[in-house]
Amino acid sequence: MAFNALTIIGAIIVISGIAIASLTARQHTKSLIYIGHAAVILWAVGLIIHIYPGINNLLVLDKVISGPLSRPFTLYFNIDKPMLIFALLILVPNILSNNEYNWRDISLSFTQKIIIGGGLITLPLLAWALQLVKPELTLPSWWWIFAINNLIFTCVAEEVLFRGYIQGFLCKKLSAPIAIIIASILFGLVHFAGGPLFIIIATLAGVLYGLSYYWTRKITVAIVVHFAFNLLHLVFFTYPLPL
């Protein structure tokens, strides 16, 4: 494993985003609020797609394979992602509901449960049909490293941004279906590195996560559904892509 400390430039970038979020949260002038929110979003997207200099993440898996049919896989602990979560929760504290961690009050209809559960099954099968993945049952020795990284540094960060922040904001301005679709398309586009078909699957997955959040009003539910989807991908299919 290799780790280089955050450089001065990287630290300035991270602190700047958090500072803008904090200042914006205390603003009352609409124009300044809009500017602040736009700046934080651009900063957050930059963190997600790793375009900023001076932020060096921890290499934990280097060219490992999950199975004989899978491409080599490199994994970093993205130390910048927690900063994204922190900034967005400062900016919009109500992303977390008052009873966020009390799941006993969740009331989903039978149809909603079928949609969420069915989506977790059918979307990987659609990815297989599109030849993005191939079936491969495996549990690599490093699965627990993947699980920790994917849950904290991927699922939490992406759901706080795309569902908690973007979808939550759009739902105040537009109808819920339109808000969910727009947030999901943006989520899909961030996965452009996988190609057009990968964007489609990611967008559909975003709809699934968006519905989970909208129906339950709990970002933690969307995070768990997102994590379950990624874990199913690792265990039952070639990860990240087939050879």
Side-chain angles (χ1 to χ4, degrees), residues 123-147:
L123 281 178
L125 295 178
L126 177 59
W128 177 21
L130 294 175
Q131 299 183 331
L132 282 173
V133 296
K134 294 179 180 178
E136 184 175 54
L137 180 61
T138 181
L139 188 64
S141 60
W142 42 264
W143 72 267
W144 61 275
I145 299 175
F146 168 89

Side-chain angles (χ1 to χ4, degrees), residues 74-218:
T74 298
L75 179 68
Y76 291 86
F77 275 169
N78 296 316
I79 59 174
D80 47 356
K81 294 290 183 69
M83 300 301 102
L84 181 158
I85 300 166
F86 186 52
L88 290 178
L89 291 178
I90 289 175
L91 185 61
V92 188
N94 62 8
I95 286 175
L96 293 175
S97 66
N98 292 332
N99 59 346
E100 182 67 47
Y101 303 104
N102 180 14
W103 281 28
R104 288 177 296 179
D105 64 350
I106 294 176
S107 179
L108 291 171
S109 69
F110 178 75
T111 300
Q112 290 169 340
K113 292 176 182 178
I114 289 296
I115 290 172
I116 294 174
L120 287 173
I121 296 172
T122 57
L123 281 178
L125 295 178
L126 177 59
W128 177 21
L130 294 175
Q131 299 183 331
L132 282 173
V133 296
K134 294 179 180 178
E136 184 175 54
L137 180 61
T138 181
L139 188 64
S141 60
W142 42 264
W143 72 267
W144 61 275
I145 299 175
F146 168 89
I148 293 171
N149 177 83
N150 196 260
L151 177 60
I152 299 174
F153 297 107
T154 299
C155 298
V156 173
E158 291 182 356
E159 291 311 303
V160 167
L161 174 58
F162 288 99
R163 254 56 66 181
Y165 180 81
I166 295 177
Q167 181 178 307
F169 171 78
L170 291 174
C171 277
K172 297 175 183 177
K173 307 293 182 182
L174 305 167
S175 66
I178 298 299
I180 292 170
I181 290 171
I182 293 175
S184 300
I185 290 172
L186 294 174
F187 176 73
L189 290 174
V190 168
H191 294 79
F192 66 90
L197 294 178
F198 202 93
I199 291 174
I200 292 172
I201 294 296
T203 298
L204 294 174
V207 172
L208 182 65
Y209 311 149
L211 290 173
S212 301
Y213 179 49
Y214 179 72
W215 286 335
T216 64
R217 307 297 184 187
K218 294 181 186 296

Side-chain angles (χ1 to χ4, degrees), residues 45-81:
V45 170
L47 289 179
I48 285 179
I49 61 177
H50 310 297
I51 63 172
Y52 298 131
I55 302 175
N56 304 301
N57 294 309
L58 177 63
L59 176 65
V60 290
L61 296 174
D62 188 19
K63 297 179 181 178
V64 297
I65 57 171
S66 61
L69 301 179
S70 298
R71 291 185 189 180
F73 173 60
T74 298
L75 179 68
Y76 291 86
F77 275 169
N78 296 316
I79 59 174
D80 47 356
K81 294 290 183 69

Side-chain angles (χ1 to χ4, degrees), residues 5-17 43 47 51-56:
L6 197 67
T7 68
I8 294 176
I9 293 175
I12 290 172
I13 291 171
V14 169
I15 293 171
S16 296
W43 170 82
L47 289 179
I51 63 172
Y52 298 131
I55 302 175
N56 304 301

